[in-house]
Amino acid sequence: MCAMTPTRSLSEVWCEAEHVRRSYPNSFSDQIVADIYGNAEQITKQVLSRKGRQRISFDHTIDNFVTSKWLGYPLMMLLLVGVLWLTIEGANVPSSFLATWLFAFQDQLTLWFQWFGAPDWVHGVLVLGVYRTLAWVVAVMLPPMAIFFPLFTILEDSGYLPRIAFNLDHIFKKAKACGKQSLTMCMGFGCNAAGVTSCRIIDSPRERLIAILTNNFVPCNGRFPTLIAISSIFIGGAVASLSGLINALVISGIILLGIAVTLLVSWLLSVTILKGEPSSLVLELPSYRRPKFGAVIYRSMIDRTLFVLRRAIIVAAPAGAVIWILANVYIGEQNILSTVAHALNPLGHLIGLDGFILMAFILGLPANEIVLPILIMSYLTTGALQDFSSLEELRNILVRNGWTWLTAINVMLFSLLHWPCATTLLTTYKETGSKKWVFLSFLIPTLIGFTVCFILTQVVRLLGLV
């Protein structure tokens, strides 16, 4: 990979070009690019002003640390933990406020339906089904996105995000993928649908498809609530005073596992159905600059947060109606939801889960945010999505229904690795125009999720640890 900065970094690029020579001695195209910018560096020495030289020196000094072989990765890890900690801790209060306000409005809707004399089933489908599901999606999804996307945009606007791609290019090249995939992967932390859309920045059709098919392996905002809640109950709760930091570390570990799976699957795709060699990456490294507040607000809130939220709402609304119907239409003494869940129990047991957990993930296809509420509703047989007042209350519900530490780990792993949400699948179809790639984007993570949970469960049971 070779990187350039438009206004200041031809001398820095020469250093990076030399790094390319050492890292990829057999890459003819990289050597050509390095020679071009090396010659350009010699020319600019004759015309660059003193102020420009100072700018180069400042940026080059920072890049000595940020893109360092030894410090670059630890700095990225610390930044990831920090962003996740801010997102987790910062989203708690506004999420709780939104949930309280939105569910209070549900009571007002109920009064209006009663005043109009609407049948119970109409109230159930529209209020307890559609509206309550939308309230959950907005309350759970909006606050984390409103924190994560601005932080992500600040990293992008300050000039640090391209350095992440620069650091990760060598790793992705080993997996026969493009270094720009690291940028699309980062975007997937906010929303996998947005991550799939961002794959347009990759020029090679082969590498773009690899990035699209593997973007689901980084957890989006919709999966963070489940991961955080389960981690808080079974891991972080062990040390209450440090629960926020422990949860951030646990979620960071899960993210690193997702990145490892991304690299492995990218390599497997590159040597099977998407054979090819990685293309050389010429990446522009912009100067470090102070982020523009207006641009951060617009791009993070309007262009990303509201765009993703609108897509999630469009998909989640009809899903809420379907979920309510399944939970309130009975076959004999059991509703359809419980009947199907019991039928899924043998499969769930093989991978360390149960039928209700699998059913929750299946019904959560439209939006991952509603997986946990569906599970609680199923366990309590209430017929409508349920909230819980405390993590301890949730823990009691889960333990009473047979959860162990193995169940918790499998739920977190399955949440990380399972199929994409409906919004991501629709976006994949829009970007590829092919049902075949949409099917593969669903099949690949599904097989990996089942396989990983199955192997872990059978090993633990064989060793008698549960």
Side-chain angles (χ1 to χ4, degrees):
M1 176 182 113
C2 185
M4 63 169 288
T5 305
T7 60
R8 57 86 186 167
S9 67
L10 287 175
S11 62
E12 176 186 324
V13 167
W14 175 246
C15 296
E16 292 167 352
E18 287 300 311
H19 171 71
V20 168
R21 289 177 186 269
R22 295 191 297 268
S23 300
Y24 308 109
N26 297 322
S27 177
F28 181 67
S29 59
D30 281 334
Q31 290 182 17
I32 292 177
V33 173
D35 288 338
I36 290 173
Y37 288 112
N39 292 330
E41 188 268 341
Q42 298 298 327
I43 296 173
T44 55
K45 282 182 178 181
Q46 304 174 29
V47 298
L48 197 62
S49 66
R50 181 178 178 182
K51 185 177 180 180
R53 293 174 189 270
Q54 290 174 345
R55 178 78 239 182
I56 289 174
S57 177
F58 172 75
D59 289 344
H60 186 56
T61 299
I62 297 178
D63 280 342
N64 282 338
F65 295 96
V66 172
T67 62
S68 165
K69 182 178 181 180
W70 302 106
L71 295 178
Y73 293 108
L75 285 175
M76 285 193 299
M77 186 63 192
L78 286 175
L79 192 62
L80 174 62
V81 172
V83 168
L84 288 174
W85 180 80
L86 288 173
T87 302
I88 292 169
E89 292 295 313
N92 288 335
V93 174
S95 184
S96 177
F97 172 79
L98 272 177
T100 301
W101 184 81
L102 289 172
F103 291 141
F105 185 67
Q106 174 189 303
D107 297 334
Q108 185 61 48
L109 284 176
T110 298
L111 292 176
W112 290 343
F113 271 75
Q114 291 175 348
W115 186 77
F116 281 108
D120 288 343
W121 70 268
V122 174
H123 170 263
V125 171
L126 296 181
V127 177
L128 299 181
V130 174
Y131 177 81
R132 195 170 179 86
T133 301
L134 291 178
W136 256 104
V137 170
V138 173
V140 172
M141 192 174 184
L142 181 58
M145 282 199 304
I147 296 173
F148 177 84
F149 277 135
L151 292 175
F152 184 88
T153 306
I154 288 173
L155 295 177
E156 182 181 14
D157 213 38
S158 66
Y160 179 71
L161 203 59
R163 271 80 182 176
I164 294 179
F166 178 81
N167 289 337
L168 294 178
D169 176 65
H170 181 66
I171 297 177
F172 275 92
K173 204 160 188 177
K174 290 290 186 182
K176 297 183 179 295
C178 177
K180 287 183 180 179
Q181 187 175 335
S182 61
L183 297 177
T184 67
M185 182 181 66
C186 289
M187 184 62 73
F189 289 127
C191 174
N192 293 129
V196 168
T197 301
S198 69
C199 292
R200 296 174 184 176
I201 67 174
I202 301 176
D203 298 322
S204 165
R206 183 190 74 86
E207 292 169 341
R208 190 185 312 127
L209 277 173
I210 291 175
I212 289 173
L213 295 176
T214 58
N215 192 268
N216 183 67
F217 293 119
V218 291
C220 63
N221 271 323
R223 285 180 277 179
F224 277 136
T226 300
L227 295 172
I228 293 169
I230 302 304
S231 174
S232 300
I233 292 171
F234 291 92
I235 302 175
V239 185
S241 60
L242 298 175
S243 61
L245 178 59
I246 292 175
N247 285 337
L249 290 173
V250 170
I251 302 304
S252 297
I254 292 174
I255 289 173
L256 290 178
L257 175 61
I259 294 174
V261 174
T262 298
L263 293 169
L264 176 60
V265 175
S266 296
W267 180 82
L268 289 173
L269 289 172
S270 295
V271 298
T272 54
I273 61 175
L274 291 171
K275 290 183 179 180
E277 291 298 321
S279 59
S280 297
L281 173 61
V282 179
L283 179 67
E284 177 182 307
L285 289 181
S287 299
Y288 290 104
R289 57 188 180 271
R290 183 179 300 172
K292 296 180 180 179
F293 182 75
V296 169
I297 293 298
Y298 179 82
R299 282 158 54 203
S300 62
M301 299 302 296
I302 306 299
D303 200 30
R304 290 173 178 170
T305 302
L306 295 183
F307 172 77
V308 172
L309 187 63
R310 180 183 65 86
R311 280 192 173 185
I313 288 174
I314 291 173
V315 175
V322 173
I323 292 168
W324 187 89
I325 292 171
L326 293 176
N328 288 273
V329 174
Y330 282 75
I331 300 176
E333 297 183 355
Q334 285 187 334
N335 57 35
I336 297 177
L337 193 153
S338 296
T339 301
V340 176
H342 285 300
L344 291 173
N345 257 331
L347 177 60
H349 182 73
L350 281 176
I351 60 174
L353 307 177
D354 63 34
F356 287 98
I357 299 173
L358 281 181
M359 192 65 180
F361 277 110
I362 293 172
L363 294 178
L365 175 66
N368 286 302
E369 296 81 5
I370 59 178
V371 168
L372 200 55
I374 292 173
L375 182 61
I376 300 169
M377 174 190 73
S378 303
Y379 281 151
L380 298 179
T381 61
T382 55
L385 296 183
Q386 294 296 307
D387 194 2
F388 48 89
S389 58
S390 68
L391 288 177
E392 184 61 29
E393 181 181 345
L394 175 59
R395 183 183 186 281
N396 292 334
I397 294 172
L398 298 179
V399 171
R400 283 200 305 268
N401 284 274
W403 277 50
T404 64
W405 65 267
L406 178 60
T407 311
I409 292 177
N410 279 323
V411 168
M412 296 175 73
L413 289 174
F414 198 76
S415 180
L416 171 70
L417 302 173
H418 80 298
W419 51 79
C421 69
T423 304
T424 304
L425 292 172
L426 289 173
T427 305
T428 300
Y429 181 72
K430 180 180 178 182
E431 294 299 315
T432 63
S434 170
K435 294 179 181 179
K436 177 184 74 173
W437 297 120
V438 175
F439 176 71
L440 280 176
S441 71
F442 178 90
L443 180 65
I444 292 171
T446 299
L447 292 177
I448 292 175
F450 274 92
T451 301
V452 169
C453 290
F454 174 79
I455 293 174
L456 174 64
T457 300
Q458 300 309 314
V459 169
V460 170
R461 287 173 179 169
L462 184 65
L463 295 176
L465 299 178
V466 292

